[in-house]
Structure formats: C-alpha cells, structure tokens
C-alpha cells in the first residue's frame, strides 16, 4: 500500500506479506497511522516493512514486523536547515529478523529532525537495532537484544557517520540493551562475539545525550565514542 499526499488515513489490524518492495509506504502525508498490523516475509534488498518519508505526525504503533528484506521501519522527515520537526513516531512495535537480504537492514532507521522511537522491542537482527541520522530525535524506553548477529563494527544503537549536521539534540535514554554479539574475521577465521558495542556514536556524532540506559553483554563495551 502506498499513501501519498494524504492525511488522517488509518491502516489497522491488517496483515501484509509477500511484497517485492516495502509493504507500506507513507510519503509526504500527515497524521496517518499504521496500527496493530502484522508485516512479514516482505521486501527485497531495498524493501522494508513500513517506510515514512516526509510529511509530519505519522505514527507506526503496535505492529509485529519480521522477516523483511531491509529495515523493519524507516522514518524520515523534518528540515535540518530550519530544525523543523516531523514528529513521526514508532511506538510499541515488536520487530525481529530484519535484513534478510540487505544486511545493513536494522530494526528502525530514523533520519531528519524531531522523530521519536519508544517502547519498541527489537531483536534477532543482523546489524543495528536503531540507526539514527539527523537531529533532535528521542530514542527511549526500547528493549534491544540479540542484535548484530551477522556483522562486525556494530552496535545496538548507532549513529553519526560522516554527516557533520547529524547528532545535535538527539536523546538516547532509558533503553535496555542486552546481548550485542558481532561476527567478523579474526586471523582469517570467523569469530563471534566480535567487535560490537551497546551504544555506538561514530565519527561526527556530537551534541548527543546518552542517559539512564541499561547496557549489558557487549563484547567491546557499553558505549563507544569514536
């Protein structure tokens, strides 16, 4: 389903599966809601469960999303030049086994300005639980566990790669992170657990608040500041 330049559309209690691309795309719309849906076995290399692009005030809530080609949920919107927030929300979703084809596929990818991820359970993922870019996002009260199962140089919550505008005002608080594994090459042999952290602020991340998180069972450390 694609919703474009619309407002106040609600998709609720539906099951989506066997799509080549993303199951649900909401583009340049406002106050739309994807609620209590099951999204599974969908997406190709670029295909995710739910994609929100542009617009404002769109919500993904109470969905079960698993076995997607790329991300579980992708949220983007807001203006970085003016710091105008989009106000998109991903809340109370259970997301597992993303990145079936694209191994960078994470539980939730968020970019732009002023979006919120809260009370989600993200588990059994090949790479990141949450990947963020942009500004003034709130990432809070999520349970992220058994992640970074197939990749190296990774973490449960990751952001800040080579974009000097990104990071300022992002708040990462009161998340529970457990069992960040990592898998990579050591002395020409595969090794696991390997080279992974809990919360990973890479390269250009600055102005990020990391507060009150419980992080355990990470092979390199709870928090990494590159």
């Amino acid at each position: 389903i694609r919703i474009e330049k619309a407002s106040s559309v609600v998709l609720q209690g539906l099951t989506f599966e066997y799509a080549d691309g993303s199951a649900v795309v909401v583009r340049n719309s406002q106050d739309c809601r994807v609620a209590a849906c099951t999204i599974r076995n969908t997406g190709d290399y670029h295909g995710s469960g739910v994609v929100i692009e542009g617009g404002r005030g769109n919500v993904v809530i109470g969905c079960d999303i698993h076995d997607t080609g790329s991300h579980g949920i992708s949220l983007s919107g807001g203006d970085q030049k003016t710091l105008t927030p989009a106000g998109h929300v991903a809340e109370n979703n259970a997301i597992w086994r993303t990145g079936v084809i694209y191994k960078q596929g994470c539980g939730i990818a968020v970019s732009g300005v002023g979006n919120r991820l809260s009370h989600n359970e993200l588990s059994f993922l090949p790479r990141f639980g949450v990947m963020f870019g942009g500004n003034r996002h709130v990432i809070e009260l999520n349970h992220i566990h058994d992640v970074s199962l197939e990749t190296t140089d990774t973490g449960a919550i990751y952001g800040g790669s080579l974009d000097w505008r990104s990071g300022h005002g992002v708040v990462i608080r009161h998340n529970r992170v457990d069992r960040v594994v990592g898998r990579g090459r050591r002395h020409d042999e595969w090794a696991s657990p390997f080279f992974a952290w809990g919360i990973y602020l890479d390269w250009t991340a600055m102005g990020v608040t990391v507060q009150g998180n419980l992080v355990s069972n990470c092979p390199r450390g709870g928090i990494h500041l590159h």
Side-chain angles (χ1 to χ4, degrees):
I1 289 182
R2 174 177 291 177
I3 298 168
E4 191 156 357
K5 296 181 180 178
S7 63
S8 304
V9 176
V10 177
L11 304 179
Q12 183 166 335
L14 302 175
T15 297
F16 298 88
E17 58 186 341
Y18 307 133
D20 286 338
S22 298
V24 178
V25 178
V26 180
R27 182 173 290 128
N28 297 324
S29 299
Q30 64 184 37
D31 301 322
C32 294
R33 181 177 293 252
V34 183
C37 291
T38 297
I39 299 169
R40 63 193 183 203
N41 304 319
T42 189
D44 48 20
Y45 190 83
H46 302 289
S48 301
V50 180
V51 176
I52 308 290
E53 294 181 352
R56 60 179 175 82
N58 300 296
V59 177
V60 185
I61 184 168
C63 294
D64 288 346
I65 301 173
H66 63 92
D67 295 286
T68 61
S70 185
H71 305 310
I73 297 172
S74 175
L75 298 181
S76 63
D79 190 312
Q80 281 190 274
K81 290 183 179 180
T82 62
L83 293 179
T84 302
H88 301 318
V89 175
E91 186 170 55
N92 196 34
N93 301 286
I95 301 173
W96 68 98
R97 290 199 304 265
T98 65
V100 172
I101 300 173
Y102 176 54
K103 294 306 174 184
Q104 296 271 12
C106 55
I108 303 175
V110 60
S111 60
V113 179
N115 302 302
R116 178 168 59 88
L117 319 179
S118 66
H119 293 95
N120 301 285
E121 182 176 6
L122 312 174
S123 60
F124 300 102
L125 308 175
R127 195 149 174 79
F128 311 124
V130 171
M131 179 173 63
F132 71 86
N135 308 96
R136 298 185 178 180
H137 306 304
V138 176
I139 303 166
E140 63 180 358
L141 299 163
N142 301 286
H143 183 196
I144 306 172
H145 62 93
D146 298 284
V147 296
S148 301
L149 300 181
E150 301 180 57
T151 56
T152 188
D153 192 14
T154 179
I157 300 174
Y158 171 90
S161 181
L162 298 178
D163 180 353
W164 291 100
R165 298 175 299 171
S166 289
H168 297 277
V170 172
V171 176
I172 302 170
R173 64 189 178 199
H174 308 312
N175 299 282
R176 180 183 174 189
V177 172
D178 190 29
R179 295 188 299 277
V180 184
V181 180
R183 182 173 185 266
R185 301 283 286 179
R186 178 189 287 136
H187 306 305
D188 295 324
E189 294 183 356
W190 286 104
S192 183
F194 184 73
F195 210 61
W197 291 267
I199 297 169
Y200 188 159
L201 305 183
D202 203 0
W203 289 92
T204 58
M206 63 186 81
V208 180
T209 298
V210 180
Q211 178 181 10
N213 301 279
L214 176 62
V215 184
S216 59
N217 294 312
C218 307
R220 296 286 289 190
I223 298 174
H224 178 36
L225 307 178
H226 189 165

